[in-house]
Structure formats: C-alpha cells, structure tokens
Amino acid sequence: MLPTTDDACEGSTSTTFDPRNARNLMRFGLPFTPFVVERAQGCYLYTVERHALLDWSSGQLAGILGHSHPRIIDAVCSASATLSHIGSAQLCPSVMKLAQKLSELLPEPLSKSMFLSTGSEACEAAIRMAKAYTGKWEIVGLGSSWHGMTSGSLSAQYHSGRKGHGPTMPGNYMLPAPNPAKSPFKNADGSWNWQDELDYGWSLVDQGCCGSLAAVVIEPILSSGGMLSLPKGYLVAMKKHCEKRNMLLIVDEAQTALGRTGTMFAFEQEGIVPDILVLSKTLGAGFPLSAIITSEDVAQRCDELDFFFCTTHVNDPLPASVGLAVLETVIRDDLVSRARVVGETLFQGLENLECKYSFIRDVRGRGMLLGLEVASKIEGVTDQTIASALSQKMTELGLWLNLTTHGRVFRVAPPLTVSDAEVAEGLRIMEKACNLVAYELEYRAVPHL
C-alpha cells in the first residue's frame, strides 16, 4: 500500500525548516530544492511539511537499493562497531572481499581493484594511471560528458563546470557527443551516421594533438548530458580507435553499473572490455564509495613506475562493507533482471506520454536509466519553461525527478527495488502533471507559473 501524505510522515516533529532560510549554506552551482527532506525510506522522500515524494532520481542517481535498505543499515552498523577506518596501507577483510567479488563478476583481464570515495577521485586516478602506463599525457573525452570535479576529471568532461576558474589541464580533446538529433552526419535515408561522425572527430583529434594520446574516457550513457546512449557498435569502434593509437579505454560506469541498464555492467552489452573500469555512485548505493578496476598488466606496470594516489580514505573498511552488501543484494534479489522488466514498463509508459503530449520530444535510455526530453512548439514559450512547469506539478503531486541538460531532460531512474505499484503510481502522476500543463498551455498560462 502506498503511503499518503499524512500517514507517511507520522511522527514528523519540525515544520520550521524553510529552504529560504538556508542562509548559512554556500551555493555550489545548482539551485536548492523548494522543500526540505527530513527522512527517506524505500522509494520515498518525506519532507518537513509532511509531504511524501516518490524519489525517481534515486538520491543523486546513486541509490539503486532505495533509501535505508536494511542490508546497508546492517553493514554500516556492523562496520561502525568493529572496523570503520584504519591506515590507508593496512589491509582488512571487507576491502579484500570486495576486490575479490568484483574480480569474479568482471570479465578477464579486469582483476585488480582500488577503492576511493567519489567518482571524481576514481576518474582522476584512472586518468593518472593511464598516463603513467602509456608514458603519454593527452586525454580524449566526449562532448556533453561528465566525469567529475577534480582537475583531471573535469578537464576531460564537456557538459559543464569548465568556466569561471581559469584554464583546465592541457592536452584534452573533445569528440562529438553521440546525439542523433543534433548530428549533421546522415545516411542517404536520413538516419544518423555515427561511424562517419566518430571517424571525423578522430581526424580532428589527430590533427590537433601533440602525438601523446594516452586514453579515452567515456560513459556508456551520457546521463548529465541528456541521457544520450551510445549506439550499438560505438564502444567497439572506440576501442579500435584506441588500439590504433596505443591508447587505453577508460569506461566510466558511475551511473550504469550494477544492473541499472539491464546488465551487471553496461559495457558488457557491447562485447568489449575496457582497459580501466571506473565505478562510483551505484557501487555505494548512496554511500561515498568508488573504484577503479584494471588488469594485472596495467596494475603491475604502474607499480613499477611508482604510481602514487593515496588518500585518507583509500580502501576504507566501512564503505567497502557497504559495497559488499550492495553487490550481494543485487545478485541475491536478481535486480539485474528486475531492471530489464521494470525498464520495459517504464519505457512503454513514457512512450505513451510522448504519443499523447506534443511537448514531449523524445524518450531514450536503457533499462532503468531513461530520459524524457521536453520541447516547446509554442512561440514565446521555452523548453525550460514547460519542463519547469512539469517538474513543479509532479513535485506537488508526489513525484521527484531530476532535470538535466539545461533544464529540459528529465532523468527517470527509480531504485531497482521499486515495486510494481510504485511504478504505476509514478507514471500516473506524470500523466496527471502532463494533463495539467497541457491545459495551461492551451490558455498560454505556463510562462507565468
């Protein structure tokens, strides 16, 4: 049974917290939400105003097991009581077990792991490792990509965050974002010719580089960039371009790993194996845990070269315990298969909305990592205005979705543990919100919402 607004927040004690009073908090580039979250359970957020919200953003696109999952709570409590933090070079069972478990799940030759706290850190370490191993220093990324906030990871991303703080690191080059709607590369029948686009992008990189290409960093789905899925064969072609130039392929699966796209790891759908795999958000299911996994060859060579990336929380016991609990739960509850089934239901539900409402331009993505793009067809009404109106209506009705790509693409990513009833409820709320906005568009009221 789905919670109501009143009984869901039974026991809520505070209605004094107001987002407008967050005067002691610094801004970091994103607007704060118009509500204050007091607690969360399962697929729901509960605000101090006694309002229940289905969280279809899974926290920060990380909480694949939902909020306050009992196995994660047990792992945290146990580790906190026994072994939460030790010296970075000291070994412990949870870290060793997590490395072994990942090695068993991943194809050869991926067998050597290192655990950090954030995706930014992991991408930074992967880039530095690639530079050390190859002896080269130039990095290639995709337009609209997102890899992190540290100097190396930020320099390899092109969605946002590059302006206002001086130059990024030298030696970074951009390939075109894989976006068929905006690509000038077309076949005779009008379909997208991504192969020619990719080859042309590489011709520009070759022309502009210094001849020291070390690695490509790539996401299987460019989530922050608008939920752009790599077309079938793209990763295979990218791997060939890397091999041709003696580069490493780094696959950043911050949001796509551990079942989210319908396979344990998204790269498996392409039949290639990256030289370095980066995991973060989903591995900790909301807790600060990330990992880089590579081959014995890469790891040994970097060790011989005195590769150094030591942080206070490298290979920490507590987050490793959480990572183990996450992996065990995904496998035990067959959440990979669940993601495929629920993903099909979600995709069909979103496509039904696309058929009914002219301001929905496109539905895309894989598994339970989907995007819903909004586009205005009314003069004087922007895409962002309609998307903002939809977001407001959905929030009022009890559904929270994250907007990305300059405020016009909704990221639809419920926890893998979402129930059938919660899926139906979320789709019902989305349709009701679309109905309300469609009515207001008819009377040109949206610009004033």
Side-chain angles (χ1 to χ4, degrees), residues 299-339:
Q300 181 176 338
R301 179 58 182 155
C302 287
D303 188 45
E304 292 169 355
L305 294 167
D306 295 325
F307 173 76
F308 187 79
F309 199 96
C310 180
T311 75
T312 302
H313 297 289
V314 64
N315 293 346
D316 244 8
L318 192 152
S321 297
V322 171
L324 268 175
V326 172
L327 284 178
E328 290 167 357
T329 302
V330 169
I331 295 168
R332 182 199 66 182
D333 297 346
D334 197 13
L335 294 182
V336 178
S337 297
R338 176 67 178 162

Side-chain angles (χ1 to χ4, degrees), residues 37-68:
V37 179
E38 185 174 55
R39 65 186 182 91
Q41 181 71 48
C43 287
Y44 282 88
L45 303 172
Y46 303 116
T47 76
V48 296
E49 299 298 333
R50 304 176 66 83
H51 187 40
L53 285 162
L54 267 173
D55 182 11
W56 276 21
S57 289
S58 297
Q60 190 66 25
L61 279 293
I64 56 173
L65 302 186
H67 299 283
S68 303

